[in-house]
Amino acid sequence: MVRLGAMGDILHALPAVTALRNAHPEWVIDWVVEPMWSALLTAQPGIVRDTLEAHPRQPIVDGVFFAAARKWKRNLFAGETRNEIGALRRSVKGEQYDAVVDFQGAVRSALI
């Protein structure tokens, strides 16, 4: 999944990802996102208020890749930016995905 943008954009994409997770729990689903939004995509054990028991929850996604696109845009030609983009490309390319879903439909998400 690729959806970098704002919190609301990510929240709007979550029902589709949740439907995929429910329909195919065996699939590995990863997401490329701005670092500040990664907490929206991971699940922690929760507490059921009535029983005060911890219940494990299935993660929404299996992995999160960080694409600091906003920061990169400000420093496009900096060596650090090139290094971070290269590291992201190598990480994502190494996974050998069967499919990619780009919920953003923008040039920067398409490049990722």
Side-chain angles (χ1 to χ4, degrees):
M1 303 297 158
V2 180
R3 186 64 182 145
L4 304 170
M7 179 174 60
D9 297 335
I10 293 166
L11 293 175
H12 281 102
L14 283 174
V17 176
T18 302
L20 284 174
R21 170 64 72 206
N22 289 337
H24 301 283
E26 73 281 3
W27 286 6
V28 173
I29 300 174
D30 294 337
W31 196 311
V32 180
V33 67
E34 285 274 356
M36 68 175 138
W37 303 121
S38 65
L40 296 173
L41 304 174
T42 56
Q44 300 296 323
I47 301 295
V48 176
R49 291 186 187 272
D50 294 341
T51 63
L52 297 179
E53 295 177 25
H55 293 277
R57 289 189 265 171
Q58 185 177 27
I60 298 165
V61 296
D62 298 296
V64 177
F65 291 97
F66 300 123
R70 291 175 194 211
K71 181 181 109 179
W72 296 342
K73 184 176 158 183
R74 288 190 302 269
N75 301 303
L76 191 57
F77 298 107
E80 180 183 0
T81 298
R82 287 194 309 270
N83 290 339
E84 289 176 7
I85 291 170
L88 174 63
R89 284 185 51 129
R90 286 187 297 278
S91 295
V92 171
K93 202 172 187 179
E95 295 296 324
Q96 300 179 353
Y97 293 106
D98 293 322
V100 175
V101 178
D102 179 0
F103 283 108
Q104 194 150 1
V107 172
R108 67 182 176 165
S109 63
L111 289 172
I112 291 170

